[in-house]
Amino acid sequence: MLFRQINSPKQKKQKLINCLISFCLVYSYLFFYPLGFSQSKKHYSYALYDRNNVLTGASVADDGQWRFAPGKVPYKFEKAIITFEDKRYYRHHGIDFISICRAFYYNVTQKKIVSGGSTLTMQTVRLLEHNPKRTILQKAHEAWYSVLIELRYSKKHILELYAANAPFGGNVVGLEAASWRYFRRSPDNLTWAEAATLAVLPNQPSLVYPGANKEKLLKKRNYLLTKLYSQGYFDKETYELSLQERIPEKAFALPDLTPHYLEYLKKNSHKKTKFYTNLDYSIQKNTTRILEYWSYNFSKKGINNAAAIIIDTKTGEILAYCGNTGFYQNKRNLDSYAVDMIQARRSSGSLLKPFLYSAMLENGMILPLQIVKDIPIRIGNYRPQNNVPLYRGVIPADEALSRSLNIPAVLALKEYRISAFLDFLKRCGFTTFNRKADDYGLPLILGGGEITLYQATRAYALMMKKACLEKSSYPASSGSCYLTLDALQKGIRPDEEALWQNYAHSKKISWKTGTSSGNRDAWAVGTTKEYTIGVWVGNADGTGNKELTSAGTSAPLMFDIFSSLPATTWPEVPYDDLKEVEICAYSGYLAGPDCTQVKTGYKPRKAPYTKICPYCTSVSFTPDLKYQATVEDMKDEYQGQMPVIQKRFVLPPLLEYYYTKHAYNYKKLPAFIPGHQQKSPQDLSIVFPLEGSLIVIPIEIDGKQGSVILEAACREKSTELYWDLDGNYLGMTKNVHQMAVSPSFGKHVLTVTDSNGTQKVRTFEIIEN
């Protein structure tokens, strides 16, 4: 009974159904899964688009094909391809039996294959399986597979898969690649004639494509246009104009304005092949043109590379990215062109000075008009120098910044501390400073560290954004940022930058330049409320060039780019984040009780600045103001008259020595009255050599050893100074305190003594050249 039950007709039928279901499931798994897998393994071209979805750059896929990842199919192409290939596309479920019957009838009556009867879904299956050999079994497989796909995917998605994988002749695969290669525009912007041309190409891509069988292609296109017109997709005027459009003669090169940016995005995104950016095509194209023009002229001097980036100051978006030059110079085969100089690490030159300035403002360590030292210095074995051998004694901090003086910057970093500054730079967004503070040392502020053009430009943009009272990650207040940028916008520039200073003033651009040691890198960064531009010029291989200066290369290039942009504006003064303070008109410090002339200045509102002017002091004079004198000095010649007390701005002798070479309105103190004994040790300074100096004495033309000029400064020029070297008396000077000597190689001790017994000692060493 049990045996009969198992083998009953009903059980057999159920068993057959189960087997059929199992077969379908296994078949679906074995074939349906690989379809999705093969699609994921497709080789796609990388593509970069601007903010308006305009293609700005692309690279061929790994298999040598121009094939873009699937995207939306625009209306015109959708209607054209469905009308031409599968008019019942939206009414069938993968198989169009009417089409198959029609194809069978035509093939039998014509005694050859005239039509395959494949739907767009079946063609998609075939394309995704890499066009296997056509057989009846393969056709059945495609039909079955089409049903499965229709169950899983929407019609829109299937059409996207078809459009992305259809062949369009040569190595052009997919609608988007074909649209750009044949018509130099995106699929969304195709005309009806262009959409119809592309719709007929996949039907016979090897036989009919632009540049071959033109008449046959034209006939197919016009046939399709007629069908589209008859179905009411466009009016008669559009139809007649479409028929007049020409067939493309050849394939065009794809846009290639952003090769370095595309490579950068490829390296930093392993899954994407399409990059939709905020680039502005027009700005990118103009910037490339300007950069190439200047770089071509620089190349005549042996300066072969340049880069530029433009950032939207408010949003931080990249508007233009030109990683290197050679676009119009056929340099693409050169190794140097391949280097993305926007991301390359290079010596910073003076580009970090504004960040230190803003940090010191924020911490209450300086005021903009506060005078800072600008004299020859030596710190350990380090002896920094200004870009030109000129020293001003003292100079306002904001002018020291705009003139990009090295000595004030080094002294500022020494006061702020290197480790603190490195931390500040990291909070500004710099990631390239990964060594210890002692490894960088004080040369950090003059180019002893490496930066990238992108990070530097972005940091300047963040500073300007903060100055505009916008939310910004810059680690200083709006007041500090504004005062820093204002100094760079209004400040006095070095002589070689005077021409660009006038331009920047008229356009209200805050800007900074920098040239690295050995003339290997020339930088320029400028910022406004709207745009921040960064420029680098040099040789990618690090070769220096004496012609490579920021004033002669990067600065004019940057301003030329600014000229191509829309008009820019300057931020309003952030008064709510600033505080008015009364400062000494001479020193720029907070006014003290001895400051006779004061004026109003600004400091960041929360900055804890408390420094009172150290240079204004009360000085006693004889009644005729001829000498300095005390009450004791007045007993004899002035018959016990009381001295006259005046408040004066007085610099120490060493600062005064350099300051008076440029500040002709500075009033030096007169000498003390004859017989005065209590003079200050600060009235005498040794100007040269600096403590611990290593000095090379040149050999004269006659072959003999030359001499070195020792120099001292004394508040009273008429004071007699006595010079001693290693215990040997050299001589006496008066008025002009200089002494020429020719010491032997080795260490020496110089002693200078004035007539009052004040003594200064300095050690130095003479070394061989």
Side-chain angles (χ1 to χ4, degrees):
M1 181 72 182
L2 179 62
F3 181 81
R4 287 196 302 270
Q5 185 178 2
I6 293 175
N7 291 278
S8 66
K10 185 176 180 181
Q11 292 293 326
K12 288 182 178 180
K13 183 178 180 180
Q14 184 63 45
K15 185 176 181 180
L16 182 62
I17 293 173
N18 291 340
C19 288
L20 184 60
I21 293 174
S22 298
F23 172 79
C24 291
L25 290 174
V26 170
Y27 186 87
S28 299
Y29 175 79
L30 291 176
F31 289 95
F32 187 46
Y33 174 75
L35 176 66
F37 182 76
S38 66
Q39 176 64 13
S40 66
K41 291 295 184 180
K42 283 281 187 182
H43 295 284
Y44 288 117
S45 300
Y46 287 93
L48 190 152
Y49 305 85
D50 83 339
R51 58 181 49 204
N52 297 311
N53 292 335
V54 175
L55 183 68
T56 63
S59 62
V60 70
D62 291 341
D63 60 358
Q65 304 291 312
W66 286 108
R67 182 194 298 106
F68 289 32
K72 292 183 179 180
V73 179
Y75 174 80
K76 292 177 184 177
F77 182 79
E78 177 187 348
K79 298 308 177 186
I81 194 67
I82 289 175
T83 300
F84 188 73
E85 290 283 355
D86 190 357
K87 62 183 179 181
R88 284 177 290 276
Y89 177 69
Y90 282 108
R91 298 198 296 274
H92 64 65
H93 299 286
I95 304 173
D96 186 351
F97 292 101
I98 297 176
S99 180
I100 291 176
C101 292
R102 177 179 56 80
F104 179 78
Y105 172 77
Y106 283 134
N107 294 339
V108 170
T109 57
Q110 297 291 327
K111 296 182 180 180
K112 62 179 181 178
I113 298 177
V114 177
S115 173
S118 294
T119 62
L120 282 173
T121 309
M122 294 170 67
Q123 292 181 50
T124 301
V125 173
R126 184 172 184 79
L127 290 171
L128 294 177
E129 293 186 340
H130 308 289
N131 291 302
K133 185 177 180 180
R134 296 176 184 271
T135 64
I136 295 176
L137 183 60
Q138 174 63 26
K139 179 70 74 173
H141 164 72
E142 291 170 5
W144 169 248
Y145 218 156
S146 297
V147 175
L148 295 178
I149 289 181
E150 293 269 353
L151 291 173
R152 178 169 178 179
Y153 297 120
S154 68
K155 289 284 189 180
K156 290 285 186 183
H157 184 66
I158 295 170
L159 196 59
E160 289 171 2
L161 291 175
Y162 171 82
N165 292 278
F168 286 86
N171 69 338
V172 181
V173 178
L175 170 64
E176 186 171 4
S179 181
W180 284 105
R181 289 280 280 166
Y182 297 139
F183 298 108
R184 293 193 287 192
R185 68 187 71 191
S186 69
D188 291 327
N189 294 319
L190 293 174
T191 65
W192 277 108
E194 292 165 347
T197 302
L198 295 182
V200 303
L201 278 178
N203 185 256
Q204 291 178 294
S206 60
L207 177 64
V208 183
Y209 59 92
N213 300 310
K214 179 179 177 181
E215 295 302 322
K216 188 171 184 178
L217 178 58
L218 181 64
K219 183 177 179 180
K220 277 175 165 279
R221 185 204 69 177
N222 290 347
Y223 165 77
L224 177 54
L225 285 172
T226 301
K227 290 188 70 174
L228 290 168
Y229 169 62
S230 66
Q231 293 176 22
Y233 287 115
F234 44 79
D235 58 27
K236 185 176 182 180
E237 181 180 5
T238 301
Y239 171 63
E240 292 175 346
L241 291 173
S242 297
L243 292 175
Q244 299 301 314
E245 288 190 30
R246 302 180 64 180
I247 294 292
E249 299 288 341
K250 62 178 182 179
F252 298 98
L254 268 69
D256 196 18
L257 271 178
T258 53
H260 298 95
Y261 196 22
L262 180 58
E263 287 300 316
Y264 171 73
L265 294 174
K266 285 166 60 176
K267 290 178 182 178
N268 290 277
S269 180
H270 302 294
K271 295 182 179 180
K272 287 184 178 180
T273 59
K274 286 186 174 182
F275 303 100
Y276 295 93
T277 71
N278 292 296
L279 288 177
D280 185 299
Y281 180 84
S282 177
I283 293 178
Q284 176 74 28
K285 188 174 182 180
N286 277 334
T287 304
T288 300
R289 174 183 57 80
I290 293 170
L291 193 68
E292 292 290 344
Y293 169 79
W294 283 91
S295 185
Y296 175 74
N297 290 321
F298 297 153
S299 67
K300 298 175 183 177
K301 301 177 181 179
I303 304 169
N304 297 311
N305 304 100
I309 185 172
I310 303 178
I311 292 177
D312 184 311
T313 303
K314 185 174 182 179
T315 64
E317 297 167 348
I318 297 175
L319 303 179
Y321 190 108
C322 304
N324 210 323
T325 46
F327 191 81
Y328 299 122
Q329 301 177 41
N330 297 318
K331 290 185 179 179
R332 296 196 166 216
N333 60 331
L334 300 181
D335 292 339
S336 64
Y337 174 76
V339 181
D340 182 355
M341 297 311 302
I342 290 177
Q343 302 297 338
R345 295 188 176 196
R346 307 289 291 205
S347 168
S348 64
S350 297
L351 226 56
L352 300 180
K353 290 176 181 176
F355 302 109
L356 177 59
Y357 183 86
S358 69
M360 296 193 73
L361 284 172
E362 187 72 7
N363 282 17
M365 302 173 80
I366 57 169
L367 292 178
L369 298 180
Q370 173 187 321
I371 57 175
V372 294
K373 293 179 181 178
D374 181 29
I375 57 175
I377 61 171
R378 184 183 183 88
I379 303 173
N381 293 324
Y382 180 48
R383 186 185 176 186
Q385 295 179 318
N386 285 334
N387 294 325
V388 292
L390 182 68
Y391 302 94
R392 293 167 176 78
V394 293
I395 187 171
D398 61 351
E399 186 176 341
L401 174 64
S402 64
R403 287 185 180 274
S404 197
L405 299 181
N406 291 339
I407 300 299
V410 169
L411 292 174
L413 180 57
K414 184 174 182 290
E415 181 182 358
Y416 190 79
R417 294 182 301 110
I418 301 167
S419 58
F421 186 50
L422 286 172
D423 180 67
F424 186 85
L425 290 174
K426 289 176 182 178
R427 288 186 288 144
C428 289
F430 290 97
T431 62
T432 52
F433 300 105
N434 45 29
R435 291 184 283 151
K436 295 180 180 179
D438 290 343
D439 293 337
Y440 289 107
L442 294 174
L444 171 65
I445 196 63
L446 305 183
E450 293 181 332
I451 60 174
T452 68
L453 181 60
Y454 168 68
Q455 291 186 358
T457 308
R458 180 178 177 273
Y460 275 88
L462 289 173
M463 190 192 300
M464 174 58 82
K465 185 177 181 182
K466 195 65 166 286
C468 296
L469 298 175
E470 299 279 352
K471 187 177 180 180
S472 169
S473 60
Y474 191 81
S477 64
S478 297
S480 297
C481 292
Y482 182 85
L483 293 174
T484 301
L485 295 171
D486 193 52
L488 294 174
Q489 189 264 320
K490 294 179 179 177
I492 300 172
R493 295 281 170 169
D495 293 341
E496 65 271 17
E497 294 183 355
L499 176 63
W500 309 116
Q501 174 181 332
N502 296 333
Y503 177 89
H505 282 184
S506 65
K507 297 289 185 179
K508 288 192 175 296
I509 300 169
S510 182
W511 57 293
K512 183 73 183 73
T513 61
T515 304
S516 67
S517 176
N519 297 84
R520 293 180 174 87
D521 308 272
W523 304 88
V525 179
T527 182
T528 66
K529 282 182 65 176
E530 291 77 20
Y531 305 106
T532 301
I533 299 176
V535 170
W536 173 90
V537 178
N539 289 308
D541 61 5
T543 303
N545 190 310
K546 64 180 181 180
E547 299 285 342
L548 183 59
T549 63
S550 54
T553 58
S554 55
L557 198 164
M558 177 190 69
F559 288 124
D560 200 2
I561 295 174
F562 263 115
S563 297
S564 71
L565 296 173
T568 58
T569 58
W570 186 251
E572 298 292 330
V573 181
Y575 289 110
D576 290 343
D577 205 33
L578 294 172
K579 182 179 180 180
E580 282 191 359
V581 289
E582 196 174 68
I583 62 174
C584 172
Y586 295 112
S587 71
Y589 284 80
L590 293 179
D594 290 326
C595 298
T596 57
Q597 294 191 31
V598 297
K599 60 183 180 181
T600 298
Y602 287 98
K603 77 174 188 69
R605 181 167 294 278
K606 295 182 180 180
Y609 187 89
T610 58
K611 297 178 182 179
I612 305 298
C613 175
Y615 298 115
C616 288
T617 184
S618 294
V619 183
S620 60
F621 299 91
T622 57
D624 55 9
L625 303 181
K626 186 177 180 180
Y627 300 104
Q628 295 183 64
T630 64
V631 174
E632 292 295 323
D633 297 329
M634 303 281 285
K635 289 180 179 179
D636 297 328
E637 184 175 346
Y638 288 92
Q639 300 175 354
Q641 296 182 61
M642 293 299 293
V644 175
I645 307 299
Q646 287 190 353
K647 296 177 179 180
R648 297 282 287 270
F649 171 62
V650 182
L651 293 173
L654 186 57
L655 300 183
E656 186 180 82
Y657 173 80
Y658 289 101
Y659 186 65
T660 52
K661 292 183 178 182
H662 308 280
Y664 302 110
N665 59 346
Y666 176 75
K667 291 182 65 176
K668 299 182 67 174
L669 292 178
F672 270 93
I673 191 171
H676 178 77
Q677 297 298 319
Q678 300 177 357
K679 294 188 178 180
S680 169
Q682 299 300 321
D683 288 345
L684 174 64
S685 294
I686 294 177
V687 177
F688 183 82
L690 300 176
E691 178 62 33
S693 293
L694 302 177
I695 302 173
V696 175
I697 300 180
I699 303 300
E700 301 293 348
I701 195 170
D702 59 3
K704 297 180 180 179
Q705 185 180 12
S707 60
V708 60
I709 305 298
L710 309 178
E711 191 168 5
C714 190
R715 192 177 301 283
E716 299 177 23
K717 280 191 175 183
S718 60
T719 299
E720 294 178 349
L721 298 184
Y722 302 93
W723 300 74
D724 179 283
L725 186 64
D726 302 327
N728 299 312
Y729 177 66
L730 299 176
M732 183 269 290
T733 58
K734 187 176 182 179
N735 296 322
V736 178
H737 299 299
Q738 295 180 342
M739 182 67 67
V741 295
S742 298
S744 60
F745 294 122
K747 294 183 178 180
H748 299 276
V749 178
L750 172 67
T751 304
V752 180
T753 308
D754 68 11
S755 54
N756 296 305
T758 301
Q759 192 174 83
K760 295 291 182 180
V761 179
R762 188 67 47 87
T763 60
F764 63 95
E765 183 177 357
I766 303 298
I767 62 175
E768 295 186 39
N769 193 353

